[in-house]
Amino acid sequence: MTAERYCEHPWWKSAAIYEIALISFQDSNGDGKGDLAGLISRIDYLKWLGIGAVWLTPIYKSPFRDLGYDISDYCSIDPAFGSLDEFDRLLEALHAEGIRLILDLVPNHTAIDHAWFVESSSSPNSAKADWYIWADAAESGGPPSNWLSRFGGSGWEWCEARRQYYYHSFLVEQPDLNWRNPEVQKAMADVMRFWLDRGVDGFRVDASAVLIKDELLRDNPPNPQAKGKPPPQRQTPVFTDDRKETMNCIEFIREVIDSYPDRLLCGEVQGKTDRIGHFYGDGRPRLHLPLNFALLDAQWQALSLQAAIDAYLNAIPDKAWPVWLIGGHDKQRIASKIGTAQMRVLAMLLMTLPGTPFLYMGDEIGRKRVPIAPDRVRDPFERLVPGYGLCRDPERAPMRWDDSESGGFTTGGPWLPLERGEAPNVAEQQRDDRSLLALFRALIGLRREHACLREGGYAPLRSRDDVLAFKRVAGATEMLVALNTTSEPRKWHWRGRGRVLMSTHLDRPREPLPDAAILLRGNEGVIAFISDDNFGTPNL
Ligand code: GLC
C-alpha cells in the first residue's frame, strides 16, 4: 500500500466516529431514559473529545422491543426521546460545532405496529399485500421452509387473517420487508430523503446483508460447527444471508445517498472478513464503510492482531477506505476482554491504523460489561435464547458521567442498572491528564494534526517479541507505531533514529529513540517520527 492509495478526502475519512445508544447517553427529564435534549447538553463533551461524527442508534417511533430496531414510523421521533423540533435543534447544534450526524437506517424490517404491516397483514388483497415476505404453508401445514429466526425458533409466523406465514429474521414482532418489491424500495428511499433533506450526514444500514432471501425459499443446510452454539446458529444461513441480489439493494440505497453531496453510507455486514470486500462494491458503489470488527474479534496478542489486520486489509479492494470498530451496541465490551491497562494500547492502535476509527460510548473511559440481574434483563435476544452469555444489556447500560449512584445519567431510576462500586467515569478521567480518556483525546487530536496518520500509507513491520509494529508514511514523513501487547517490559529491535511523538503513558514527549532497541514498558505503545524533514531517511 502506498501513500498515494488514499487520494480523496471526504469528511468521514478524517473523523473519529462515536456511536451513541441514545437511551443510555443522557437523560434530561428524569424518566430514566436518555433523550435528544440530554444529548444536546453533552455536545460540549463530544467537542472536547474531538469527535467528528456521531452515529445514533434508532430514534424513531418504536414499541422498543429491540432497542428501537423495531420501527413503527420511520419519519418521526419516539416521544420518549423528544420531537422533530428537538431533532432539528440537535442537528443544528452539532453542525455548529463541526460534528456530523449519521442515523441508523433499518431497511430490513419494521415493527408489526407499523402501518405498512397492519395493512399488509389485513388481507392478501390489500394494497400492500406484497410489502412483506408472505408464503403459504408447506404441504404438511407447517412453515414454508426451515429458516430460523436469529432470536430463536422458526423464522416464520402464521397470520390468521391472510392464512399465510410471514418471515422475520429477528423477532416475531419484526416482520421482514420484501425488498424485491419496487414500491418498498421507493418507500425506503423516501424515508432516507426525509432525513437527508433535514440535513443528516448519512446512515448506518442495519442488517444490510440479509435484505434479500432466496426466492425459492430453499431450506438452509445444518451448520457443521453448531456444537455449543445457540439454536439460531445451528444452520448455515446460505439461503437467507448475503445473497447476491442483496447487493443490488445496497447499490440502490447508495444511489439515494449519492444524490446528496458529502454523505456517508456505512453498514452492518455479517460474515467473515473475507466477505467484507464485496460490500464496498465493484463497478457500482455500495457502502463507503462496511463496518469491520476484526480488532474486537482478534485475540489480544501481537501476532494475532497483526494477522487480523493483515487479513482485513487484504480482503478489501485496492482503493477501499478501511474502517475499524472497537465496540458497539451488539458487542461485548472490549475492556472486559483485554483489560483496563491494555485499553491504552488499543486506543493507540485504533487511532494510528489507516482508515476511519469508530468507538462506542464509554469505550473512551474503558467501560466494562455491567452485570445485569436476570430480573432486569431487557435484551429480547437474552430472554429468548438465554444461557449462552450473549446478553447485550451489559454494554447498553447507561453512560457513567460521574461516580454518583445514577452516574450523572439520570435523576430518576435508570432503565438499565449501572454498576456498583468503583467504575470508570467521565468526570474523574477529565480531571486526570494521564487518564485513558485523556489519552483518547490526545490521540484523536494527534490524528487530526498529522496527515500522515490520517492519509499516509501503511507499511507493516515484522511484529515480534509481543510488539505489534507498523509504519505510516506520507511523503518524507515516516511514523513508527510500536505497541507492547503484554504487561511486561519488552524491547523492540530496530536500526534507525527517531523521536517519540506520544507514548500511551503520556510522559515521554520528544524523547529521542535510541538506535538498536526501543524499551517499551508493560502495556506501552509509542508513536515516533522516524523520518521527517529533520531526520532524513531512516534505516529500519
Ligand atoms: C441489528 C442491530 C441489532 C438488532 C438487529 C435486529 O443487528 O444491530 O441490535 O437486534 O439488527 O433489528
Side-chain angles (χ1 to χ4, degrees):
M1 193 189 301
T2 64
E4 282 71 39
R5 178 168 162 175
Y6 307 132
C7 48
E8 300 162 43
H9 302 295
W11 62 266
W12 46 266
K13 291 189 176 175
S14 35
I17 303 185
Y18 188 80
E19 183 192 351
I20 291 178
L22 188 65
I23 192 169
S24 283
F25 197 58
Q26 177 66 62
D27 178 16
S28 72
N29 59 5
D31 70 355
K33 294 178 186 158
D35 46 41
L36 293 174
L39 172 51
I40 292 173
S41 73
R42 292 294 183 183
I43 291 178
D44 283 356
Y45 171 70
L46 301 172
K47 170 89 179 151
W48 174 85
L49 186 54
I51 294 304
V54 164
W55 148 28
L56 281 185
T57 57
I59 52 176
Y60 320 104
K61 194 153 191 268
S62 164
F64 244 81
R65 299 181 186 103
D66 183 25
L67 201 77
Y69 285 94
D70 45 328
I71 296 166
S72 52
D73 180 357
Y74 286 100
C75 298
S76 65
I77 299 290
D78 194 86
F81 291 147
S83 61
L84 270 174
D85 281 349
E86 264 168 325
F87 176 80
D88 291 341
R89 272 209 296 286
L90 167 71
L91 194 56
E92 200 183 325
L94 284 170
H95 283 173
E97 296 297 352
I99 302 173
R100 311 275 179 153
L101 179 63
I102 61 179
L103 295 182
D104 230 301
L105 179 73
V106 188
N108 181 66
H109 45 271
T110 66
I112 47 169
D113 322 64
H114 196 294
W116 298 344
F117 187 75
V118 172
E119 187 174 346
S120 188
S121 59
S122 64
S123 142
N125 305 316
S126 80
K128 292 196 169 45
D130 290 335
W131 279 47
Y132 292 81
I133 301 179
W134 294 98
D136 295 334
E139 274 168 29
S140 63
S145 75
N146 73 350
W147 298 349
L148 296 175
S149 153
R150 284 176 167 63
F151 285 180
S154 168
W156 294 100
E157 182 71 7
W158 179 251
C159 168
E160 195 50 42
R162 283 187 62 145
R163 301 207 53 77
Q164 278 186 312
Y165 283 91
Y166 69 86
Y167 180 64
H168 56 94
S169 297
F170 299 93
L171 291 176
V172 170
E173 298 91 347
Q174 286 169 308
D176 282 33
L177 284 159
N178 175 16
W179 266 83
R180 293 182 198 274
N181 183 343
E183 288 177 31
V184 168
Q185 299 189 10
K186 184 182 169 304
M188 203 52 70
D190 288 345
V191 167
M192 291 173 71
R193 287 195 198 98
F194 176 85
W195 295 104
L196 292 166
D197 288 341
R198 287 196 115 78
V200 308
D201 299 287
F203 293 104
R204 172 262 189 191
V205 187
D206 183 65
S208 75
V210 304
L211 292 176
I212 296 277
K213 293 86 189 170
D214 183 44
E215 207 163 14
L216 299 175
L217 312 183
R218 282 173 285 180
D219 284 343
N220 278 327
N223 176 1
Q225 274 131 31
K227 203 158 174 252
K229 299 247 169 75
Q233 289 175 33
R234 298 205 175 140
Q235 286 176 353
T236 310
V238 284
F239 292 113
T240 42
D241 278 35
D242 206 1
R243 304 291 301 163
K244 210 164 160 217
E245 306 94 310
T246 297
M247 294 301 147
N248 303 334
C249 305
I250 300 178
E251 288 158 9
F252 170 83
I253 292 174
R254 173 65 178 268
E255 273 167 27
V256 179
I257 279 278
D258 283 350
S259 64
Y260 290 75
D262 225 15
R263 311 295 163 105
L264 166 67
L265 192 66
C266 51
E268 180 189 31
V269 297
Q270 270 91 12
K272 301 207 176 93
T273 296
D274 56 4
R275 296 292 293 157
I276 212 162
H278 77 152
F279 284 89
Y280 280 96
D282 180 17
R284 283 179 75 192
R286 296 169 186 158
L287 303 173
H288 292 108
L289 300 176
L291 301 182
N292 158 40
F293 290 97
L295 289 180
L296 201 61
D297 298 336
Q299 208 190 322
W300 186 253
Q301 200 256 352
L303 298 183
S304 305
L305 286 165
Q306 185 169 53
I309 293 165
D310 200 57
Y312 167 71
L313 291 176
N314 265 329
I316 64 175
D318 262 0
K319 294 239 163 58
W321 185 259
V323 49
W324 307 94
L325 281 82
I326 59 165
H329 67 279
D330 292 328
K331 300 286 180 184
Q332 302 207 343
R333 287 275 187 195
I334 194 159
S336 294
K337 175 178 157 188
I338 66 176
T340 303
Q342 289 75 11
M343 280 300 285
R344 303 181 79 91
V345 180
L346 178 71
M348 186 167 275
L349 177 61
L350 177 70
M351 295 300 167
T352 54
L353 280 171
T356 300
F358 274 66
L359 49 160
Y360 174 57
M361 57 178 212
D363 285 341
E364 72 277 23
I365 53 171
R367 196 81 188 279
K368 292 195 168 164
R369 306 195 80 208
V370 176
I372 307 287
D375 63 329
R376 294 295 304 266
V377 167
R378 301 290 292 265
D379 179 9
F381 179 87
E382 178 63 12
R383 287 184 181 174
L384 293 165
V385 192
Y388 289 88
L390 296 175
C391 182
R392 299 173 293 178
D393 289 336
E395 17 288 327
R396 296 174 175 185
M399 187 70 177
R400 206 171 237 301
W401 298 101
D402 60 35
D403 62 2
S404 64
E405 204 180 321
S406 297
F409 162 71
T410 182
T411 51
W415 78 284
L416 269 181
L418 285 84
E419 62 281 79
R420 291 179 198 281
E422 292 216 343
N425 69 73
V426 170
E428 185 183 64
Q429 293 199 22
Q430 274 189 316
R431 286 192 298 268
D432 173 2
D433 56 15
R434 297 259 172 95
S435 65
L436 177 63
L437 180 60
L439 175 64
F440 261 108
R441 180 171 182 250
L443 284 164
I444 292 172
L446 201 71
R447 191 171 171 276
R448 214 174 24 225
E449 197 182 320
H450 294 278
C452 180
L453 288 177
R454 291 192 313 274
E455 296 145 25
Y458 165 83
L461 297 171
R462 277 194 70 162
S463 292
R464 48 182 192 263
D465 302 330
D466 303 312
V467 176
L468 172 62
F470 53 88
K471 286 195 291 184
R472 301 297 309 275
V473 184
T477 306
E478 290 197 15
M479 289 183 176
L480 168 72
V481 180
L483 308 166
N484 177 2
T485 55
T486 73
S487 307
E488 309 294 326
R490 286 288 183 270
K491 269 190 186 146
W492 167 250
H493 295 276
W494 76 317
R495 294 300 315 278
R497 289 187 301 152
R499 164 163 63 78
V500 173
L501 193 58
M502 188 182 289
S503 155
T504 47
H505 293 35
L506 292 171
D507 62 353
R508 48 197 281 195
R510 307 191 66 81
E511 195 177 291
L513 283 183
D515 190 10
I518 304 168
L519 184 66
L520 293 168
R521 290 164 285 180
N523 298 311
E524 183 181 27
V526 294
I527 306 170
F529 272 128
I530 49 174
S531 167
D532 62 12
D533 293 344
N534 305 322
F535 274 102
T537 311
N539 175 17
L540 271 182

